[in-house]
Amino acid sequence: MTLQTEVQNEASSKLSVQHVSKTFRSRARVVHALDDVSLDVGEGEFVCLVGPSGCGKSTLLNIIAGLDLADGGRVLTDGAPVAAPGRDRMMMFQESALFPWLDVLSNVLFGLKLKPGLDAGERRKVAEFYLKLVGLEKFHRAFVHELSGGMKQRVALARALAPNPRALLMDEPFAALDALTREQLYGDLQRIWQERKKTIVFVTHNVREACCLGDRVVLFSPHPGRIREEFKIDLPRPRDINSVDLARYSTRITAALKNYARPESGAELVEVAE
Amino acid sequence: MRRTLKALVFFAGLLLAWEAVCLARIWSPVLVPSPVSVGRYLWEAANDGTLGSATVVTLRRLVLGYCFGLAIGLPLGLLTARFKVVGDTLGLLALGLQTLPSVCWVPLALLWFGQTEAAMFFVVVMGTIWSVIIATENGVKNVPPIYARAARTMGSSGLHTWLRVLLPAALPFIVGGMKQGWAFAWRSLMAAEIYVTILSGFGLGHLLHYGRELNAMEQVIGIMLVLLLIGLIADKVLFSPWERFLHRRWGTAK
């Protein structure tokens, strides 16, 4: 297998969430994290899930990833039901979750080593390819604690891209970064998305971020977690988070978000562990 | 280099102060021998082979028991962390036995095994194993769950996750436990060697014991110096490289 065939774009996947419900029970309380949620994500589409904390958006992402199981309903990727994590769906978290005992290159290699059909030389070439894609080709031998927050998330992105998944699931990956770093990553992520043609589901509570990145923004409301409204973002790419056109969308969506987030009478405000 | 120099100056100063105290004749030289007489004893003991063979006997007991304790303790620690039932049973037992001063195993070992190498081996293993189990369990339980989740999305599961994610992630704790296990094993072995004579080999503890019997203070102090040196070298050779590795990877210290 050559580097060319290995890093060739895989067909991006179609995700279908059908009537998914999820309840968390602890001794103290019962939380309806998701209540009959259905969502279709097209091939190569960039969808952002937005909502206040406790609306179940991260739970939904975990279910799509196969890390959590739904109580009811199902998730299909290209028609096949999801029962466990799979290499076709890679996940990125708010914390980089990079392994401190490995250097940057070995972190990216971790997932590749679990992918059958590649020899050591090929794996290395693939890892280098993705580190270059995220602009970190000079940091192969660096250790995780030597990287800035933005660089860590770049490595995490390279690590998620390396096994060539068909979908990328991102759980507030930029939430802990400073504004300037975040803006750079918005640009990079849009470029990489267009180059690599992945289906992306991106969870955030930052409406502007969602409008900047998504083809579509899906609005959740909490207690129980439900989808309330969807917005199509018709703006040319690459988008600048500071543009006026984008602000118009985000103002509208923020207004809607505030409306839905208003607690219903008697509804208890409980935080769901995301 | 400057650090070495400072250390050298410090220890030379200690020796000089010691010599000065002896020259001042405040205490009887039988109780406080001069560094020169201690040095003479060590020189003679080294030349006639007693020191060398005693060191070999002691280190062999220590290393054998310690390695065996590690080989058993590490997997047991992993099992303790992995299976709730093992944690509730063996984990609790290990926690209890870890608080037991390891020298307390000596009487039991003597009754069970008699004055044999097996008794020594048993005492060292008991000194090592419980701290290693507890540290490994603790280490694995303190691994951020996100590591395992991230690994799962990349296709890792089962044994792979344990060996490639949880074990390395727990390494800072495990090395701490290995160090503690070493210290416990070393202490209990010395206690056992001072306490009982075992005919299959005279260790450093015996030399210390006979020093007392013969009222040979220079022997007592000389052997204590050797013990101290061994402890220091073990720390530098066995654990410092691990600790440097951890600091470098985790960025925990300079």
Side-chain angles (χ1 to χ4, degrees):
Chain A
M1 198 182 296
T2 65
L3 178 65
Q4 263 65 38
T5 57
E6 174 54 31
V7 302
Q8 234 164 34
N9 283 332
E10 289 262 5
S12 48
S13 63
K14 206 163 61 185
L15 300 171
S16 178
V17 176
Q18 300 175 342
H19 307 290
V20 163
S21 298
K22 176 82 184 171
T23 307
F24 290 103
R25 282 167 218 281
S26 67
R27 214 170 285 169
R29 57 176 66 124
V30 174
V31 178
H32 296 281
L34 292 169
D35 181 38
D36 193 21
V37 168
S38 294
L39 174 73
D40 280 301
V41 182
E43 284 171 34
E45 196 183 9
F46 198 138
V47 171
C48 292
L49 312 183
V50 179
S53 47
C55 71
K57 54 196 192 303
S58 292
T59 306
L60 180 61
L61 206 65
N62 284 331
I63 291 172
I64 297 174
L67 288 171
D68 267 339
L69 290 177
D71 297 334
R74 57 182 190 163
V75 175
L76 304 176
T77 57
D78 303 305
V82 167
R87 245 184 300 279
D88 56 323
R89 291 153 280 130
M90 291 300 285
M91 181 122 174
M92 245 183 98
F93 306 89
Q94 182 176 339
E95 314 134 72
S96 68
L98 296 174
F99 301 144
W101 57 94
L102 300 175
D103 63 15
V104 164
L105 187 69
S106 307
N107 263 289
V108 178
L109 282 169
F110 187 92
L112 284 170
K113 284 183 181 160
L114 288 157
K115 190 177 177 178
L118 291 174
D119 69 34
E122 289 161 351
R123 283 198 293 261
R124 206 192 149 92
K125 283 208 182 76
V126 172
E128 282 169 355
F129 172 85
Y130 285 102
L131 278 170
K132 191 156 190 286
L133 190 71
V134 297
L136 287 177
E137 64 268 40
K138 294 206 178 98
F139 291 88
H140 288 180
R141 289 290 160 219
F143 292 115
V144 175
H145 70 91
E146 296 167 331
L147 305 175
S148 67
M151 288 158 89
K152 281 182 196 160
Q153 287 303 51
R154 282 170 198 272
V155 178
L157 180 60
R159 181 171 78 167
L161 288 169
N164 214 358
R166 291 143 66 90
L168 209 53
L169 309 172
M170 307 176 83
D171 191 358
E172 305 196 38
F174 307 146
L177 303 178
D178 66 87
L180 217 62
T181 309
R182 239 178 0 229
E183 276 184 38
Q184 279 176 0
L185 281 162
Y186 295 150
D188 288 335
L189 183 59
Q190 291 187 71
R191 169 177 61 84
I192 289 166
W193 172 66
Q194 282 177 322
E195 267 178 45
R196 306 297 309 165
K197 309 246 184 312
K198 305 286 179 206
T199 302
I200 298 185
V201 183
F202 189 103
V203 163
T204 176
H205 53 241
N206 182 335
V207 174
R208 270 191 104 95
E209 179 173 273
C211 295
C212 178
L213 296 173
D215 293 324
R216 194 150 51 104
V217 174
V218 179
L219 205 61
F220 279 67
S221 74
H223 321 299
R226 279 186 188 139
I227 292 179
R228 286 310 179 102
E229 210 172 336
E230 292 191 5
F231 301 84
K232 214 167 154 34
I233 312 291
D234 269 319
L235 290 174
R237 288 184 190 268
R239 298 171 188 162
D240 175 7
I241 188 137
N242 297 310
S243 85
V244 181
D245 295 330
L246 201 140
R248 223 171 279 134
Y249 278 102
S250 69
T251 316
R252 248 180 71 210
I253 298 176
T254 306
L257 183 70
K258 281 184 181 152
N259 190 28
Y260 294 126
R262 206 172 290 151
E264 291 157 37
S265 56
E268 186 199 1
L269 270 175
V270 273
E271 291 277 305
V272 176
E274 289 189 76
Chain B
M1 219 41 231
R2 289 194 62 128
R3 286 175 61 203
T4 323
L5 197 70
K6 279 176 192 162
L8 278 176
V9 169
F10 174 72
F11 287 110
L14 272 185
L15 275 179
L16 282 177
W18 177 7
E19 182 65 40
V21 167
C22 294
L23 287 176
R25 295 251 166 205
I26 305 171
W27 295 288
S28 148
V30 177
L31 292 180
V32 185
S34 74
V36 176
S37 64
V38 170
R40 195 181 305 120
Y41 163 74
L42 285 176
W43 177 253
E44 282 164 8
N47 276 338
D48 68 19
T50 42
L51 192 59
S53 67
T55 306
V56 168
V57 165
T58 296
L59 285 184
R60 194 179 53 223
R61 287 171 180 160
L62 187 63
V63 169
L64 278 179
Y66 181 68
C67 290
F68 186 80
L70 267 190
I72 302 288
L74 268 175
L76 282 183
L78 290 179
L79 288 177
T80 311
R82 170 68 181 80
F83 298 104
K84 204 172 170 350
V85 58
V86 185
D88 290 341
T89 52
L90 182 71
L92 200 62
L93 180 73
L95 194 63
L97 291 178
Q98 191 214 9
T99 64
L100 187 75
S102 40
V103 61
C104 300
W105 289 103
V106 175
L108 185 142
L110 284 176
L111 288 177
W112 275 3
F113 301 106
Q115 284 166 275
T116 62
E117 287 298 318
M120 292 289 165
F121 181 75
F122 180 78
V123 168
V124 174
V125 170
M126 287 299 122
T128 310
I129 199 166
W130 311 114
S131 336
V132 173
I133 291 180
I134 296 294
T136 308
E137 181 197 12
N138 235 327
V140 171
K141 285 191 168 165
N142 275 292
V143 173
I146 189 122
Y147 288 159
R149 288 168 77 82
R152 269 181 76 200
T153 63
M154 288 185 278
S156 170
S157 64
L159 199 62
H160 185 275
T161 306
W162 276 89
L163 295 181
R164 292 305 171 89
V165 182
L166 295 174
L167 195 62
L171 212 54
F173 283 85
I174 293 175
V175 170
M178 283 166 61
K179 212 171 156 171
Q180 195 188 26
W182 171 265
F184 284 180
W186 181 223
R187 281 156 180 70
S188 49
L189 176 64
M190 272 311 110
E193 283 194 348
I194 291 171
Y195 195 19
V196 271
T197 305
I198 282 169
L199 296 172
S200 50
F202 293 100
L204 290 168
H206 301 122
L207 291 184
L208 200 56
H209 177 69
Y210 292 136
R212 184 189 75 91
E213 300 263 289
L214 301 171
N215 252 340
M217 200 56 171
E218 66 276 1
Q219 178 172 346
V220 170
I221 292 181
I223 297 299
M224 282 174 71
L225 284 178
V226 171
L227 295 178
L228 187 146
L229 203 65
I230 290 174
L232 211 58
I233 291 172
D235 195 275
K236 292 284 175 208
V237 173
L238 289 178
F239 298 108
S240 286
W242 282 99
E243 282 168 343
R244 268 201 303 279
F245 170 84
L246 293 176
H247 290 327
R248 206 164 114 69
R249 297 289 171 113
W250 268 257
T252 40
K254 236 172 74 61

Coordinates of all heavy atoms in Angstrom, one line a residue, chain B residues 93-163:
Chain B
L93 N -6.9 -6.7 51.6 CA -5.9 -7.5 52.3 C -4.5 -6.8 52.1 O -3.7 -6.6 53.0 CB -5.8 -8.9 51.7 CG -4.8 -9.8 52.3 CD1 -5.2 -10.3 53.7 CD2 -4.5 -11.1 51.4
A94 N -4.2 -6.4 50.8 CA -3.0 -5.7 50.5 C -2.8 -4.4 51.3 O -1.8 -4.1 51.9 CB -2.9 -5.4 49.0
L95 N -3.9 -3.7 51.4 CA -3.9 -2.4 52.1 C -3.6 -2.7 53.6 O -2.8 -2.0 54.2 CB -5.3 -1.7 52.0 CG -5.3 -0.3 52.4 CD1 -4.4 0.6 51.5 CD2 -6.7 0.2 52.4
G96 N -4.2 -3.7 54.2 CA -3.9 -4.1 55.5 C -2.5 -4.5 55.8 O -1.8 -4.0 56.6
L97 N -2.0 -5.4 54.9 CA -0.7 -6.0 55.1 C 0.4 -4.9 54.8 O 1.5 -5.0 55.3 CB -0.5 -7.2 54.2 CG -1.3 -8.4 54.6 CD1 -1.1 -9.5 53.6 CD2 -1.0 -8.8 56.0
Q98 N 0.0 -3.9 53.9 CA 1.0 -2.9 53.6 C 1.3 -2.0 54.9 O 2.4 -1.5 55.0 CB 0.5 -2.0 52.5 CG 1.6 -1.1 52.0 CD 1.0 0.3 51.5 OE1 -0.2 0.6 51.8 NE2 1.8 1.1 50.9
T99 N 0.3 -1.9 55.7 CA 0.5 -1.1 56.9 C 1.3 -1.9 58.0 O 1.9 -1.3 58.9 CB -0.8 -0.7 57.6 OG1 -1.5 -1.9 58.0 CG2 -1.7 0.1 56.6
L100 N 1.4 -3.2 57.8 CA 2.2 -4.0 58.7 C 3.7 -3.8 58.5 O 4.2 -4.0 57.4 CB 1.9 -5.5 58.5 CG 2.4 -6.5 59.4 CD1 1.6 -6.5 60.7 CD2 2.3 -7.9 58.8
P101 N 4.5 -3.4 59.5 CA 5.9 -3.2 59.3 C 6.5 -4.6 58.8 O 6.2 -5.6 59.4 CB 6.4 -2.9 60.7 CG 5.2 -2.3 61.4 CD 4.0 -3.0 60.8
S102 N 7.2 -4.5 57.7 CA 7.6 -5.8 57.1 C 8.5 -6.7 57.9 O 8.6 -7.9 57.7 CB 8.2 -5.5 55.7 OG 9.1 -4.4 55.8
V103 N 9.2 -6.1 58.9 CA 10.0 -6.9 59.8 C 9.1 -7.8 60.6 O 9.6 -8.9 61.1 CB 10.9 -6.0 60.7 CG1 10.0 -5.1 61.6 CG2 11.8 -6.8 61.5
C104 N 7.9 -7.5 60.7 CA 7.0 -8.4 61.5 C 6.8 -9.8 60.8 O 6.3 -10.7 61.4 CB 5.6 -7.8 61.7 SG 5.7 -6.3 62.6
W105 N 7.2 -9.9 59.5 CA 7.2 -11.2 58.8 C 8.3 -12.1 59.3 O 8.2 -13.3 59.0 CB 7.3 -11.0 57.3 CG 6.1 -10.3 56.7 CD1 5.9 -9.1 56.3 CD2 4.8 -11.0 56.5 NE1 4.7 -8.8 55.9 CE2 3.9 -10.0 55.9 CE3 4.3 -12.3 56.7 CZ2 2.6 -10.3 55.6 CZ3 3.0 -12.5 56.3 CH2 2.2 -11.6 55.8
V106 N 9.3 -11.6 59.9 CA 10.5 -12.4 60.2 C 10.2 -13.6 61.2 O 10.5 -14.7 60.8 CB 11.6 -11.5 60.8 CG1 12.8 -12.3 61.2 CG2 12.1 -10.4 59.8
P107 N 9.5 -13.4 62.3 CA 9.2 -14.5 63.1 C 8.4 -15.6 62.4 O 8.8 -16.8 62.5 CB 8.4 -13.9 64.3 CG 8.7 -12.5 64.3 CD 9.0 -12.1 62.9
L108 N 7.5 -15.2 61.6 CA 6.7 -16.1 60.9 C 7.5 -16.9 59.9 O 7.5 -18.1 59.7 CB 5.5 -15.4 60.2 CG 4.5 -16.2 59.4 CD1 3.1 -15.6 59.6 CD2 4.8 -16.3 57.9
A109 N 8.4 -16.1 59.2 CA 9.2 -16.8 58.1 C 10.2 -17.8 58.8 O 10.4 -18.9 58.2 CB 10.0 -15.7 57.4
L110 N 10.7 -17.5 60.0 CA 11.6 -18.4 60.7 C 10.9 -19.7 61.1 O 11.4 -20.8 60.9 CB 12.2 -17.7 61.9 CG 13.3 -16.7 61.6 CD1 13.7 -16.0 62.8 CD2 14.4 -17.4 60.8
L111 N 9.6 -19.5 61.6 CA 8.9 -20.7 62.0 C 8.6 -21.6 60.8 O 8.6 -22.8 60.8 CB 7.7 -20.3 62.8 CG 8.0 -19.8 64.2 CD1 6.7 -19.4 64.8 CD2 8.7 -20.8 65.0
W112 N 8.2 -20.9 59.7 CA 7.8 -21.7 58.5 C 9.0 -22.3 57.8 O 8.9 -23.5 57.4 CB 7.1 -20.8 57.5 CG 5.6 -20.6 57.8 CD1 4.9 -21.2 58.9 CD2 4.6 -19.9 57.1 NE1 3.6 -20.9 58.9 CE2 3.4 -20.1 57.8 CE3 4.7 -19.1 55.9 CZ2 2.2 -19.5 57.3 CZ3 3.5 -18.6 55.5 CH2 2.3 -18.7 56.2
F113 N 10.0 -21.5 57.6 CA 11.1 -22.0 56.7 C 12.4 -22.3 57.5 O 13.3 -22.8 56.9 CB 11.4 -20.9 55.7 CG 10.2 -20.5 54.8 CD1 9.5 -19.4 55.0 CD2 9.8 -21.4 53.8 CE1 8.4 -19.0 54.2 CE2 8.7 -21.1 53.1 CZ 8.0 -19.9 53.2
G114 N 12.4 -22.0 58.8 CA 13.7 -22.2 59.5 C 14.7 -21.2 59.1 O 14.5 -20.2 58.4
Q115 N 16.0 -21.5 59.5 CA 17.0 -20.6 59.2 C 17.6 -20.8 57.8 O 18.7 -21.3 57.7 CB 18.1 -20.7 60.3 CG 17.7 -19.9 61.6 CD 18.5 -20.3 62.8 OE1 18.3 -21.3 63.4 NE2 19.5 -19.4 63.0
T116 N 16.8 -20.5 56.8 CA 17.2 -20.8 55.5 C 17.1 -19.6 54.6 O 16.5 -18.6 55.0 CB 16.3 -21.9 54.9 OG1 15.0 -21.4 54.8 CG2 16.3 -23.2 55.7
E117 N 17.6 -19.7 53.4 CA 17.5 -18.7 52.4 C 16.0 -18.4 52.1 O 15.6 -17.3 51.8 CB 18.2 -19.1 51.1 CG 19.7 -19.0 51.1 CD 20.2 -17.6 51.4 OE1 19.7 -16.6 50.8 OE2 21.1 -17.5 52.2
A118 N 15.2 -19.5 52.1 CA 13.7 -19.3 51.8 C 13.1 -18.3 52.8 O 12.3 -17.5 52.4 CB 13.0 -20.7 51.9
A119 N 13.5 -18.3 54.0 CA 13.0 -17.4 55.0 C 13.3 -15.9 54.6 O 12.4 -15.0 54.6 CB 13.5 -17.7 56.4
M120 N 14.6 -15.7 54.2 CA 15.0 -14.4 53.8 C 14.2 -13.9 52.6 O 13.7 -12.8 52.5 CB 16.5 -14.4 53.4 CG 17.4 -14.6 54.6 SD 17.3 -13.1 55.6 CE 18.0 -13.8 57.1
F121 N 14.1 -14.9 51.6 CA 13.4 -14.6 50.4 C 11.9 -14.2 50.7 O 11.4 -13.2 50.2 CB 13.4 -15.8 49.5 CG 12.7 -15.7 48.2 CD1 13.3 -15.0 47.1 CD2 11.5 -16.3 48.0 CE1 12.7 -14.9 45.9 CE2 10.9 -16.2 46.7 CZ 11.5 -15.5 45.7
F122 N 11.3 -14.9 51.6 CA 9.9 -14.7 51.9 C 9.8 -13.3 52.5 O 8.9 -12.5 52.2 CB 9.5 -15.8 52.9 CG 8.1 -15.6 53.4 CD1 7.0 -16.0 52.6 CD2 7.8 -15.0 54.6 CE1 5.7 -15.9 53.0 CE2 6.5 -14.9 55.0 CZ 5.4 -15.3 54.2
V123 N 10.7 -12.9 53.4 CA 10.6 -11.6 54.1 C 10.7 -10.5 53.1 O 10.0 -9.5 53.1 CB 11.7 -11.5 55.2 CG1 11.8 -10.1 55.6 CG2 11.4 -12.4 56.3
V124 N 11.6 -10.6 52.1 CA 11.8 -9.6 51.1 C 10.6 -9.5 50.2 O 10.1 -8.4 49.9 CB 13.1 -9.9 50.3 CG1 13.2 -8.9 49.2 CG2 14.3 -9.8 51.2
V125 N 10.1 -10.6 49.8 CA 8.9 -10.6 48.9 C 7.7 -9.9 49.7 O 7.0 -9.1 49.1 CB 8.5 -12.1 48.5 CG1 7.2 -12.1 47.8 CG2 9.6 -12.6 47.6
M126 N 7.5 -10.3 50.9 CA 6.4 -9.7 51.7 C 6.6 -8.1 51.8 O 5.7 -7.4 51.9 CB 6.3 -10.3 53.1 CG 5.8 -11.7 53.0 SD 4.1 -11.8 52.4 CE 4.3 -12.9 51.0
G127 N 7.9 -7.7 51.9 CA 8.2 -6.3 52.0 C 7.8 -5.6 50.7 O 7.4 -4.4 50.7
T128 N 8.0 -6.3 49.6 CA 7.9 -5.6 48.3 C 6.4 -5.6 47.8 O 5.9 -4.6 47.4 CB 8.7 -6.4 47.2 OG1 10.0 -6.6 47.7 CG2 8.7 -5.7 45.9
I129 N 5.8 -6.8 48.0 CA 4.6 -7.0 47.1 C 3.4 -6.1 47.5 O 2.7 -5.6 46.5 CB 4.2 -8.5 47.3 CG1 3.3 -9.0 46.2 CG2 3.6 -8.8 48.6 CD1 3.3 -10.5 46.1
W130 N 3.2 -5.8 48.7 CA 1.9 -5.1 49.1 C 2.0 -3.7 48.6 O 1.0 -3.1 48.1 CB 1.7 -5.2 50.6 CG 1.8 -6.6 51.0 CD1 2.7 -7.2 51.9 CD2 0.9 -7.7 50.6 NE1 2.5 -8.5 52.0 CE2 1.4 -8.9 51.3 CE3 -0.2 -7.9 49.8 CZ2 0.9 -10.2 51.1 CZ3 -0.7 -9.1 49.6 CH2 -0.2 -10.2 50.3
S131 N 3.1 -3.0 48.8 CA 3.2 -1.6 48.3 C 3.1 -1.6 46.8 O 2.5 -0.6 46.2 CB 4.5 -1.0 48.6 OG 5.1 -1.5 49.7
V132 N 3.6 -2.6 46.1 CA 3.5 -2.6 44.6 C 2.1 -2.8 44.2 O 1.6 -2.1 43.3 CB 4.4 -3.7 44.0 CG1 4.2 -3.8 42.5 CG2 5.9 -3.3 44.3
I133 N 1.4 -3.7 44.9 CA 0.0 -3.9 44.5 C -0.8 -2.6 44.7 O -1.6 -2.1 43.9 CB -0.7 -5.0 45.4 CG1 -0.1 -6.4 45.0 CG2 -2.2 -5.0 45.2 CD1 -0.6 -7.5 45.8
I134 N -0.7 -2.0 45.9 CA -1.4 -0.8 46.2 C -1.1 0.3 45.3 O -2.0 1.0 44.8 CB -1.1 -0.4 47.7 CG1 -1.6 -1.4 48.7 CG2 -1.8 1.0 48.0 CD1 -3.1 -1.6 48.7
A135 N 0.2 0.5 45.0 CA 0.6 1.6 44.1 C 0.0 1.4 42.7 O -0.5 2.3 42.0 CB 2.1 1.8 44.1
T136 N 0.1 0.2 42.2 CA -0.4 -0.1 40.8 C -1.9 0.1 40.8 O -2.4 0.8 39.9 CB -0.1 -1.6 40.4 OG1 1.3 -1.8 40.7 CG2 -0.4 -1.8 39.0
E137 N -2.6 -0.4 41.8 CA -4.1 -0.2 41.8 C -4.4 1.3 41.8 O -5.2 1.8 41.1 CB -4.6 -0.9 43.1 CG -6.1 -0.8 43.2 CD -6.7 -1.0 44.5 OE1 -5.9 -1.1 45.5 OE2 -7.9 -1.2 44.7
N138 N -3.8 2.0 42.7 CA -4.0 3.4 42.9 C -3.7 4.2 41.6 O -4.4 5.0 41.1 CB -3.0 4.0 43.9 CG -3.7 4.7 45.0 OD1 -4.7 5.4 44.7 ND2 -3.2 4.6 46.2
G139 N -2.6 3.8 40.9 CA -2.2 4.4 39.7 C -3.2 4.2 38.6 O -3.6 5.2 38.0
V140 N -3.6 3.0 38.4 CA -4.6 2.7 37.4 C -5.9 3.5 37.7 O -6.6 4.0 36.8 CB -4.8 1.2 37.2 CG1 -6.0 0.9 36.3 CG2 -3.6 0.6 36.7
K141 N -6.3 3.5 38.9 CA -7.6 4.2 39.3 C -7.5 5.7 39.1 O -8.5 6.3 39.0 CB -8.0 3.8 40.7 CG -8.5 2.4 40.8 CD -9.2 2.1 42.1 CE -9.9 0.8 42.1 NZ -10.3 0.4 43.4
N142 N -6.3 6.2 39.1 CA -6.2 7.6 38.9 C -5.9 8.1 37.5 O -5.7 9.2 37.2 CB -5.0 8.2 39.8 CG -5.5 8.4 41.2 OD1 -6.2 9.4 41.4 ND2 -5.1 7.6 42.1
V143 N -5.9 7.1 36.6 CA -5.8 7.5 35.2 C -7.0 8.2 34.7 O -8.1 7.7 34.9 CB -5.5 6.2 34.3 CG1 -5.5 6.6 32.8 CG2 -4.2 5.5 34.7
P144 N -6.9 9.4 34.1 CA -8.1 10.1 33.6 C -8.9 9.2 32.6 O -8.3 8.6 31.7 CB -7.5 11.3 32.9 CG -6.1 11.5 33.4 CD -5.7 10.1 33.8
P145 N -10.2 9.0 32.8 CA -11.0 8.1 32.0 C -10.9 8.5 30.5 O -11.1 7.6 29.6 CB -12.4 8.3 32.5 CG -12.3 9.0 33.8 CD -11.0 9.7 33.9
I146 N -10.6 9.8 30.2 CA -10.6 10.2 28.8 C -9.5 9.5 28.0 O -9.7 9.3 26.8 CB -10.4 11.7 28.8 CG1 -10.6 12.3 27.3 CG2 -9.0 12.1 29.3 CD1 -11.6 13.3 27.2
Y147 N -8.4 9.0 28.7 CA -7.4 8.3 27.9 C -8.0 7.0 27.4 O -7.8 6.6 26.2 CB -6.2 8.0 28.9 CG -5.3 9.1 29.2 CD1 -4.5 9.1 30.3 CD2 -5.3 10.3 28.5 CE1 -3.7 10.2 30.7 CE2 -4.6 11.4 28.8 CZ -3.7 11.3 29.9 OH -3.0 12.4 30.3
A148 N -8.7 6.3 28.2 CA -9.2 5.0 27.8 C -10.3 5.2 26.7 O -10.4 4.5 25.7 CB -9.8 4.2 29.0
R149 N -11.1 6.3 26.9 CA -12.1 6.6 25.9 C -11.5 6.9 24.5 O -11.9 6.5 23.5 CB -13.0 7.8 26.3 CG -13.9 7.4 27.5 CD -14.5 8.7 28.1 NE -15.6 9.2 27.3 CZ -16.9 8.8 27.3 NH1 -17.2 7.8 28.1 NH2 -17.8 9.3 26.6
A150 N -10.5 7.8 24.6 CA -9.8 8.2 23.3 C -9.2 6.9 22.7 O -9.3 6.7 21.5 CB -8.7 9.2 23.6
A151 N -8.6 6.0 23.5 CA -8.0 4.8 23.0 C -9.1 3.9 22.3 O -8.9 3.3 21.3 CB -7.3 4.1 24.1
R152 N -10.2 3.9 23.0 CA -11.3 3.0 22.5 C -11.8 3.5 21.1 O -12.0 2.7 20.2 CB -12.5 3.1 23.4 CG -12.5 2.0 24.4 CD -13.7 2.1 25.3 NE -14.9 1.5 24.7 CZ -16.2 1.8 25.0 NH1 -16.4 2.6 26.1 NH2 -17.2 1.3 24.4
T153 N -11.9 4.8 20.9 CA -12.3 5.3 19.6 C -11.3 5.0 18.5 O -11.6 4.9 17.3 CB -12.5 6.9 19.6 OG1 -11.2 7.5 19.8 CG2 -13.5 7.3 20.6
M154 N -10.0 4.8 18.9 CA -9.0 4.4 17.9 C -8.9 2.9 17.8 O -8.0 2.4 17.1 CB -7.6 5.0 18.4 CG -7.6 6.5 18.2 SD -6.0 7.2 18.6 CE -6.0 7.3 20.3
G155 N -9.8 2.2 18.4 CA -9.8 0.7 18.1 C -9.1 -0.1 19.2 O -8.9 -1.3 19.0
S156 N -8.7 0.6 20.3 CA -8.0 -0.2 21.3 C -9.1 -0.8 22.3 O -10.1 -0.2 22.5 CB -7.1 0.7 22.1 OG -6.6 0.1 23.3
S157 N -8.8 -2.0 22.7 CA -9.7 -2.6 23.7 C -9.0 -3.7 24.5 O -7.9 -4.1 24.1 CB -11.0 -3.2 23.0 OG -10.5 -4.2 22.1
G158 N -9.6 -4.1 25.5 CA -9.2 -5.2 26.3 C -7.7 -5.1 26.7 O -7.3 -4.1 27.3
L159 N -6.9 -6.2 26.5 CA -5.6 -6.2 26.9 C -4.7 -5.1 26.3 O -3.9 -4.5 27.0 CB -5.0 -7.6 26.5 CG -3.7 -8.0 27.3 CD1 -4.0 -8.1 28.8 CD2 -3.1 -9.3 26.7
H160 N -5.0 -4.7 25.1 CA -4.3 -3.6 24.5 C -4.4 -2.3 25.3 O -3.4 -1.6 25.5 CB -4.7 -3.4 23.0 CG -3.9 -2.4 22.3 ND1 -4.2 -1.1 22.3 CD2 -2.8 -2.5 21.5 CE1 -3.3 -0.4 21.6 NE2 -2.5 -1.3 21.1
T161 N -5.6 -2.0 25.7 CA -5.9 -0.8 26.5 C -5.1 -0.9 27.8 O -4.5 0.1 28.2 CB -7.4 -0.6 26.7 OG1 -8.1 -0.7 25.5 CG2 -7.6 0.7 27.4
W162 N -5.1 -2.1 28.4 CA -4.4 -2.2 29.7 C -2.9 -2.0 29.5 O -2.3 -1.3 30.3 CB -4.7 -3.6 30.3 CG -6.0 -3.5 31.0 CD1 -7.2 -3.7 30.5 CD2 -6.2 -3.1 32.3 NE1 -8.2 -3.5 31.4 CE2 -7.6 -3.1 32.6 CE3 -5.3 -2.7 33.4 CZ2 -8.1 -2.7 33.8 CZ3 -5.9 -2.4 34.6 CH2 -7.2 -2.4 34.8
L163 N -2.3 -2.7 28.5 CA -0.9 -2.6 28.4 C -0.4 -1.3 27.8 O 0.7 -0.8 28.1 CB -0.4 -3.8 27.6 CG -0.6 -5.2 28.3 CD1 -0.1 -6.3 27.4 CD2 0.0 -5.2 29.6

